[in-house]
Amino acid sequence: DAGVIQSPRHEVTEMGQEVTLRCKPISGHNSLFWYRQTMMRGLELLIYFNNNVPIDDSGMPEDRFSAKMPNASFSTLKIQPSEPRDSAVYFCASREDTSYYEQYFGPGTRLTVT
Amino acid sequence: QQPVQSPQAVILREGEDAVINCSSSKALYSVHWYRQKHGEAPVFLMILLKGGEQKGHEKISASFNEKKQQSSLYLTASQLSYSGTYFCGTEAPDNYGQNFVFGPGTRLSVLP
């Protein structure tokens, strides 16, 4: 298995631009997570999907952030408009259905907003 | 609520032992441990469930005290490859099967 795939791996954009991060989970996994990691705030859960349905989006910082999972093999995290404080590494992770199973993390997308 | 980890950082020589602690103010259903090397994604180490069930790494051990809402990760005879940041993730019964919250991490450095 190829593991969780994220694209792009690096993104540099200017403040005010729209940014879209993409994730392909491991086939057969029912749950998908988006995390943001910064030195100041650590590893934060942004949103959690189960069977393509958003279950918990309480970690989404504000309305500028949105996430979708149109099918079991694809998810996007969009930031519009982007701000310098959004600069971080964004991880996508997937997991089989229950918490007994580990989360598999993708390689991450390093976002820099100038 | 984010769990608390201690120590924040530890430096060891190869072959030495270390213990990393994780505690929560909430009743816990499970504790998960992950390790992240610099510039890489977190990687699963171990899951400990209420009731004593465990699943994880053969060379790393951990304990889960349900009454005290604490978990400890034991790294024995440390190797250079153990260096990285260790995160615990705690899951409460009220969000069982959904998600969990990561602690702030413990940075472990193993020196030759």
Side-chain angles (χ1 to χ4, degrees), chain A:
Chain A
D1 200 321
V4 176
I5 299 173
Q6 290 187 247
S7 64
R9 294 294 306 277
H10 302 273
E11 177 80 32
V12 180
T13 190
E14 292 183 349
M15 183 173 62
Q17 297 297 307
E18 177 180 297
V19 175
T20 300
L21 311 181
R22 297 172 177 80
C23 174
K24 177 178 169 56
I26 293 173
S27 177
H29 282 192
N30 300 85
S31 297
L32 184 139
F33 306 81
W34 281 101
Y35 292 93
R36 177 173 67 177
Q37 187 173 38
T38 61
M39 288 294 293
M40 291 296 295
R41 301 177 68 89
L43 195 58
E44 302 174 275
L45 176 68
L46 299 178
I47 188 168
Y48 156 66
F49 291 89
N50 183 255
N51 292 323
N52 313 335
V53 176
I55 303 299
D56 183 358
D57 64 354
S58 59
M60 295 287 264
E62 48 200 272
D63 293 344
R64 297 185 297 107
F65 285 69
S66 62
K68 294 182 180 179
M69 192 164 186
N71 56 61
S73 59
F74 184 66
S75 177
T76 59
L77 178 68
K78 185 177 293 186
I79 308 172
Q80 166 64 20
S82 59
E83 297 182 2
R85 61 191 169 121
D86 301 330
S87 297
V89 179
Y90 290 81
F91 288 105
C92 173
S94 71
R95 186 188 73 189
E96 291 189 55
D97 198 42
T98 74
S99 64
Y100 185 67
Y101 295 91
E102 61 265 36
Q103 293 188 18
Y104 291 83
F105 282 76
T109 295
R110 182 173 294 277
L111 173 65
T112 302
V113 183
T114 61

Side-chain angles (χ1 to χ4, degrees), chain B residues 22-84:
Chain B
C22 174
S23 64
S24 174
S25 59
K26 297 180 68 173
L28 298 178
Y29 176 79
S30 68
V31 178
H32 305 233
W33 287 96
Y34 285 76
R35 177 172 63 204
Q36 184 179 28
K37 294 183 178 290
H38 183 69
E40 300 181 5
V43 173
F44 166 78
L45 293 176
M46 178 164 289
I47 293 174
L48 302 104
L49 300 177
K50 186 176 180 179
E53 194 171 3
Q54 295 187 14
K55 177 187 176 188
H57 205 289
E58 290 182 357
K59 296 186 178 180
I60 293 175
S61 63
S63 64
F64 179 22
N65 187 323
E66 300 165 29
K67 290 184 178 180
K68 292 186 176 181
Q69 294 139 211
Q70 294 176 346
S71 178
S72 295
L73 187 70
Y74 304 98
L75 304 166
T76 57
S78 58
Q79 306 170 14
L80 294 176
S81 62
Y82 286 9
S83 293

